[in-house]
């Protein structure tokens, strides 16, 4: 079917709002990545029946269906040429004991506000803050500064409800034949192919699916390719009574990352890093010659730990605070790192969306920085670095002149091969999407990649759901 006919035909059979005017198609052609992909129609389902109708129509006519949350993803995972499912109406929320049941379109802001009223919170906290959705966090296996202590979305996902590409409703985990079949496919892979890192959003996380009780985890990081998530049960935690935030200034990034493994022994809730490109946007008296700041936060036994950090750190502590207003101001600086870095890019330059989320075992961070130094000596590029140092997850953003754009793929291949060889993953939290799906095989090798294909074929035999992401069939 011609793409221009899809909207009209869909509008005839659908039971929800469908848009296919130029303005809507332009709007949904982009997300927070640099990719542009024009869809054919956008649907706004209000319930599972609406989704079932749409996926059945799409399968029948071989049209792709791509679920979308808030469009804050950084790898183009929510862009597609067929039908985009805007999940905004799936926004119910119900608090339980130690968990919350939410619709997949619920915003993180609504989730946080509701949980706060009950003295609770959801561990993973992407720097985008309130704007992303539950479905998008599950779709990318998102994490954030506090994932150091509280894990990524995959570690906090208790249950999911999905609409499959055949239009069935499945709740996972469930002890039934479907789960048995899923487990049988998972068992084909070797755990050895999975990097030993605390965060990983590359490929399908079949390493976390080991029994009936955790089969729901296959949906974390699946980027809408295995099913449309309609609701989820998420683990919640008691809000800490008090936090302390310690800001440490260093003369080099390497000095800072060398300190990280020792700091981790104290059990911080966050250890984050920013380089001089970001520091220049901070309004605070920062010592001359500072090239890097480490943000170290604790949320228990804070006085004792504050003293210990002083003893361990080779940098200069420039702030140690328990004041809520000061702590949130500094987290605003840290969470603005991406927008600060984009400000420093001139019109003649481009920033790579392929390299930006590598994660290595924490003690190998100095090696990762050596690798970056080597690449900047070999290629005409500069880099901006910030991220989740405590997880070994650095957002290294290479910036090149537009005329050198063709080098990006070559640099990425060299960079990713080295990251993998030091036991890392090419993406710790943002996922594969259009940026990195072509590198998933490099990460895991042919055998595991062929298991990923079997996973995809099991859930979505007709390749209707977000094709071209995660695995390329
Ligand atoms: C400034 C900035 C800072 C960021 N900081 C972080 C960070 O610290 N940590 C982090 O992990 N990420 C970060 N991100 C990336 C992004 O915000 C997260 O990945 C977020 O979870 C995406 O949510 P979303 O609702 O916008 O999803 P979208 O971008 O709309 O979608 C993301 C993926 O999930 C899939 N998806 C969405 N809804 C569903 C559903 N209902 N069922 C199945 N699949 C679905 C989509 O198809 C897509 O593949 C940042 C982004 C920006 C712009």
């Amino acid at each position: 079917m011609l793409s221009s006919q899809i909207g009209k035909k869909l509008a005839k059979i659908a039971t929800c709002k469908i848009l296919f005017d130029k303005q809507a198609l332009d709007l949904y052609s982009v997300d927070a990545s640099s990719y542009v992909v024009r869809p054919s129609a956008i649907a706004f389902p209000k319930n599972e029946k609406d989704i079932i109708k749409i996926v059945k129509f799409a399968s029948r006519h071989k049209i792709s269906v791509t679920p979308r949350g808030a469009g804050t993803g950084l790898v183009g995972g929510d862009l597609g040429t067929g039908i985009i499912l805007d999940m905004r109406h799936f926004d119910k929320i119900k608090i339980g004991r130690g968990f919350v049941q939410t619709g997949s379109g619920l915003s993180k802001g609504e989730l946080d506000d509701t949980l706060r009223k009950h003295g609770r919170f959801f561990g993973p906290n992407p720097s985008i803050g309130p704007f992303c959705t539950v479905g998008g966090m599950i779709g990318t296996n998102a994490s954030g500064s506090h994932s150091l202590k509280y894990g990524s979305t995959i570690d906090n996902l208790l249950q999911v409800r999905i609409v499959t590409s055949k239009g069935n409703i499945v709740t996972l985990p469930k002890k039934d034949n479907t789960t048995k079949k899923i487990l049988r496919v998972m068992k084909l892979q070797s755990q050895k192919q999975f990097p030993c890192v605390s965060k990983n959003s590359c490929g399908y996380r079949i390493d976390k699916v080991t029994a009936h009780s955790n089969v729901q985890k296959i949906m974390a990081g699946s980027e809408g390719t295995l099913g449309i998530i309609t609701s989820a049960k998420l683990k919640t935690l008691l809000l800490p009574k008090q936090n302390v935030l310690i800001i440490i200034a260093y003369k080099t990034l390497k000095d800072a990352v060398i300190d990280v493994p020792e700091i981790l022994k104290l059990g911080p809730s966050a250890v984050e890093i920013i380089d001089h490109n970001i520091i220049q946007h901070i309004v605070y008296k920062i010592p001359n010659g500072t090239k890097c700041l480490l943000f170290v936060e604790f949320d228990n036994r804070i006085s004792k730990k504050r003293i210990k950090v002083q003893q361990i750190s080779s940098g200069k502590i420039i702030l140690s605070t328990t004041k809520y207003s000061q702590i949130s101001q500094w987290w605003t600086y840290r969470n603005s790192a991406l927008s600060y870095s984009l400000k420093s890019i001139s019109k003649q330059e481009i920033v790579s969306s392929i390299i930006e989320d590598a994660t290595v075992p924490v003690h190998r961070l100095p090696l990762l920085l050596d690798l970056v130094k080597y690449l900047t000596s070999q290629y005409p590029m500069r880099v901006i670095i910030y991220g989740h140092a405590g997880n070994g997850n650095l957002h290294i953003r290479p910036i090149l002149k537009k005329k050198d754009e063709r080098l990006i793929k070559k640099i990425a291949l060299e960079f990713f091969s080295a990251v993998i060889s030091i036991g890392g993953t090419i993406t710790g939290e943002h996922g594969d999407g259009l940026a990195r799906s072509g590198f998933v095989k490099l990460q895991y090798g042919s055998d595991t990649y062929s298991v990923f294909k079997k996973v995809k074929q099991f859930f979505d035999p007709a390749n209707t759901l977000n094709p071209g992401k995660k695995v390329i069939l």
Side-chain angles (χ1 to χ4, degrees), residues 31-32 66-74 77-78 87 104 125-128 131-133 135-137 139-144 223-224 227-230 335 338 388 395 429-430 466:
D31 59 4
T66 300
R68 177 169 172 128
T72 68
L74 292 166
D78 57 352
M87 298 298 288
S104 60
N125 60 327
S127 309
I128 188 70
F131 304 108
C132 61
T133 65
M137 286 194 288
T140 55
N141 184 23
S143 50
E223 296 181 17
I228 313 295
I229 302 162
T230 55
N335 293 339
L338 176 58
H388 315 287
H395 300 311
E429 55 178 25
H430 298 159
N466 213 3

Side-chain angles (χ1 to χ4, degrees), residues 14-17 44-54 85-92 161 163 169 228 230:
T15 38
C16 63
K17 182 168 112 180
F44 298 82
K46 285 203 161 148
N47 52 47
E48 287 168 338
K49 278 188 189 151
D50 291 342
I51 300 179
I52 292 169
K53 260 207 157 153
I54 294 166
L85 287 186
D86 183 319
M87 298 298 288
R88 68 179 64 203
H89 295 306
F90 288 74
D91 59 353
K92 289 213 173 90
R161 189 170 156 100
V163 174
I169 295 172
I228 313 295
T230 55

Side-chain angles (χ1 to χ4, degrees), residues 293-342:
L293 292 180
L294 215 53
F295 290 51
V296 180
E297 193 181 79
F298 296 98
D299 62 9
N300 70 345
R301 298 164 68 208
I302 58 175
S303 325
K304 214 171 157 188
K305 290 181 177 177
R306 201 195 313 223
I307 297 166
K308 288 240 161 123
V309 168
Q310 250 160 2
Q311 293 163 351
I312 289 170
S313 159
S314 65
K316 184 177 167 43
I317 295 181
I318 60 166
L319 177 77
S320 172
T321 181
T322 53
K323 268 196 202 146
Y324 177 78
S325 58
Q326 237 176 345
I327 291 178
S328 36
Q329 175 61 66
W330 278 85
W331 280 120
T332 304
Y333 289 139
R334 162 61 192 93
N335 293 339
S336 306
L338 176 58
S339 61
Y340 291 154
S341 37
L342 296 178

Side-chain angles (χ1 to χ4, degrees), residues 10-219:
L10 182 62
K12 274 190 192 148
I13 65 106
T15 38
C16 63
K17 182 168 112 180
I18 307 291
L19 292 180
F20 51 97
D21 59 289
K22 184 182 176 309
Q23 200 181 359
L25 299 183
D26 284 350
L27 196 65
Y28 284 81
S29 299
V30 292
D31 59 4
S33 73
S34 53
Y35 298 95
V36 181
V37 180
R38 205 172 167 77
S40 302
I42 302 105
F44 298 82
K46 285 203 161 148
N47 52 47
E48 287 168 338
K49 278 188 189 151
D50 291 342
I51 300 179
I52 292 169
K53 260 207 157 153
I54 294 166
V55 292
K56 283 189 171 169
F57 166 86
S59 297
R60 220 170 28 247
H61 296 285
K62 299 201 182 329
I63 300 162
S64 68
V65 176
T66 300
R68 177 169 172 128
T72 68
L74 292 166
V75 292
D78 57 352
L79 304 179
T81 54
I83 302 164
I84 304 293
L85 287 186
D86 183 319
M87 298 298 288
R88 68 179 64 203
H89 295 306
F90 288 74
D91 59 353
K92 289 213 173 90
I93 177 162
K94 198 172 157 209
I95 305 281
R97 267 178 169 244
F99 69 87
V100 60
Q101 188 82 44
T102 87
S104 60
L106 187 86
S107 74
K108 175 72 163 49
E110 279 287 318
L111 177 67
D112 290 345
D113 289 349
T114 312
L115 289 177
R116 201 176 301 115
K117 285 180 199 147
H118 292 79
R120 301 191 74 83
F121 74 107
F122 179 57
N125 60 327
S127 309
I128 188 70
F131 304 108
C132 61
T133 65
V134 168
M137 286 194 288
I138 300 171
T140 55
N141 184 23
S143 50
S145 54
H146 293 131
S147 292
L148 179 61
K149 184 164 178 180
Y150 301 111
S152 301
T153 304
I154 198 167
D155 306 303
N156 294 277
L157 183 63
L158 303 175
Q159 193 183 72
V160 283
R161 189 170 156 100
I162 59 170
V163 174
T164 67
S165 64
K166 286 186 181 162
N168 299 320
I169 295 172
V170 176
T171 300
L172 299 172
K174 199 176 180 193
K175 213 168 178 177
D176 65 358
N177 269 341
T178 313
T179 305
K180 253 191 211 160
K181 282 183 203 158
I182 298 171
L183 285 171
R184 217 175 291 144
V185 179
M186 308 293 161
K187 279 197 181 121
L188 299 171
Q189 61 87 35
S190 154
Q191 295 277 348
K192 277 192 212 138
Q193 294 306 320
F194 282 79
C196 205
V197 284
S198 56
K199 290 161 80 169
N200 182 11
S201 288
C202 184
Y204 293 125
R205 291 299 307 277
I206 51 183
D207 57 317
K208 290 271 187 177
V209 180
T210 54
H212 283 104
S213 55
N214 54 33
V215 88
Q216 76 283 7
K217 292 184 190 268
I218 191 60
M219 296 309 295

